[in-house]
Amino acid sequence: MKAVVSVLLIILVMVLPAKGQLKAGFYSSSCPKAEATVRSTVESYYNKDPTIAAGLLRLHFHDCFVQGCDGSVLIKGASSEGNALPNQGLKGFEVIDDAKAQVEALCPGVVSCADILALAARDSVDLSDGPSWSVPTGRRDGRVSLSSQASNLPSPLDSVAVQRQKFAAKGLDDHDLVTLVGGHTIGETHCQFIRYRLYNFTATGNSDPTINQAFLAQLQALCPMNGDGTKPVALDRGSQTKFDVSFFKNVKDGNAVLESDQRLWGDDATRKIMQNYAGNIRGLLGFRFDFEFPKAMIKMGSIEVKIGTQGEIRKVCSKFN
């Protein structure tokens, strides 16, 4: 099945030019071992800690939503993007730094940090038993990284209307929204971000009524009212490290961990898309999500990209040249 999906996606990439003239195999002559080097680096970290896959996928998503996919989230500094509140808890920086150092040793000044991050996100999904796809490359690294510009990142507190508006501002529709949220199949959050749903949802001391009662008891046991706020909570109950459609089934059953995810079931348009992914025919539905997720990733990966002579190719991903 994965082989069939991969072949279809390679054909898809050939017929769908990414916006801004990115192209699959951009480094095939200038740095032919770039993609394999990124892959082996991601794999070595994944083998030690499978949750790094979700970290890298989220890092790419957060990068693309602020200033476009330009590696701006990777910059270290007091006022840089990575220090913005929505970016607290991002992880995987060391994987990108490591891959960049190895690629620089092979081909100095050729491969951008933005592309390394996009490739690492794809490899993370593939290593987690999800689909693989040809990543259009050729992004350049941005020269601006400001925490003040990260305020419009999607938040777990967002209503469907706000989620829709934030995605539409980046050229992404309802279908892209639901499909990309499906990346939560390998995600995690922390108790401090969901405690309000468990104990004080309406400021009257109640829990969120959309949470399945049996699941509520599990979450409360995992995240006591005055317990450790940094304790991790898997976003896909029972299937945290496997990229699959059980996330959508969990949302359908009231077992979503994040309020924003559960809200998508309450809206007619987004629920229809979720139902398609969460249907009952195992083979068909897994295949459908495996085909749609790469398409949405390719679309997201071309948001406001810098190409040609724009931006730069950083020597080190955490600082401007």
Side-chain angles (χ1 to χ4, degrees):
M1 178 67 87
K2 272 182 82 166
V4 174
V5 172
S6 294
V7 170
L8 287 168
L9 288 164
I10 288 162
I11 294 165
L12 182 82
V13 169
M14 288 160 67
V15 298
L16 274 185
K19 284 194 288 263
Q21 297 314 298
L22 300 179
K23 62 172 192 169
F26 183 83
Y27 300 109
S28 56
S29 56
S30 58
C31 193
K33 291 187 176 153
E35 296 203 18
T37 303
V38 173
R39 165 74 187 210
S40 63
T41 308
V42 173
E43 195 162 0
S44 69
Y45 282 86
Y46 177 84
N47 289 339
K48 294 193 282 266
D49 174 17
T51 67
I52 199 67
L56 290 165
L57 183 56
R58 184 170 178 234
L59 201 53
H60 178 46
F61 178 84
H62 280 233
D63 183 35
C64 291
F65 260 72
V66 184
Q67 300 255 0
C69 315
D70 67 348
S72 51
V73 76
L74 304 170
I75 294 292
K76 292 275 180 287
S79 61
S80 68
E81 224 174 275
N83 273 345
L85 194 61
N87 286 330
Q88 304 295 302
L90 286 179
K91 66 181 194 179
F93 296 97
E94 72 286 359
V95 184
I96 303 303
D97 289 341
D98 192 347
K100 174 64 169 172
Q102 293 184 53
V103 170
E104 279 298 296
L106 292 170
C107 326
V110 173
V111 183
S112 68
C113 298
D115 276 343
I116 289 173
L117 182 49
L119 292 165
R122 182 270 314 271
D123 295 335
S124 295
V125 172
D126 183 36
L127 286 163
S128 305
D129 284 341
S132 187
W133 62 94
S134 296
V135 176
T137 42
R139 297 167 190 79
R140 308 261 300 171
D141 295 322
R143 290 198 183 102
V144 176
S145 178
L146 295 168
S147 57
S148 56
Q149 296 184 335
S151 57
N152 213 33
L153 273 163
S155 152
L157 304 173
D158 288 343
S159 66
V160 176
V162 172
Q163 292 182 68
R164 191 173 265 136
Q165 175 265 313
K166 287 179 177 179
F167 275 72
K170 302 296 174 190
L172 301 169
D173 59 22
D174 278 6
H175 189 270
D176 302 317
L177 162 60
V178 173
T179 306
L180 291 168
V181 162
H184 286 167
T185 174
I186 55 171
E188 65 178 19
T189 185
H190 299 93
C191 287
Q192 65 202 25
F193 300 118
I194 62 162
R195 209 179 263 141
Y196 75 95
R197 285 191 83 200
L198 310 182
Y199 303 105
N200 202 25
F201 186 63
T202 50
T204 54
N206 297 338
S207 58
D208 183 340
T210 62
I211 305 175
N212 176 304
Q213 285 303 298
F215 188 48
L216 175 64
Q218 286 177 28
L219 288 175
Q220 288 176 329
L222 186 64
C223 300
M225 195 185 292
N226 299 309
D228 177 6
T230 63
K231 192 193 278 188
V233 185
L235 296 181
D236 187 7
R237 172 190 184 210
S239 174
Q240 182 185 359
T241 56
K242 191 164 168 43
F243 198 95
D244 57 21
V245 292
S246 69
F247 166 77
F248 297 107
K249 293 179 175 175
N250 277 328
V251 175
K252 181 178 79 172
D253 296 337
N255 294 330
V257 174
L258 300 179
E259 181 187 352
S260 55
D261 289 350
Q262 193 61 58
R263 293 290 159 263
L264 293 170
W265 191 256
D267 175 272
D268 286 347
T270 50
R271 182 172 60 245
K272 278 201 184 87
I273 303 160
M274 284 200 150
Q275 275 171 326
N276 270 342
Y277 291 145
N280 300 314
I281 316 159
R282 174 66 200 101
L284 178 66
L285 100 174
F287 175 73
R288 186 185 290 137
F289 182 53
D290 274 2
F291 187 67
E292 296 298 331
F293 188 78
K295 286 202 296 189
M297 285 292 287
I298 290 167
K299 193 169 168 185
M300 182 190 83
S302 47
I303 294 171
E304 297 160 36
V305 292
K306 291 150 187 74
I307 54 159
T309 56
Q310 299 169 314
E312 64 185 17
I313 303 294
R314 270 179 232 148
K315 294 180 176 67
V316 176
C317 291
S318 58
K319 53 180 195 245
F320 301 121
N321 289 350

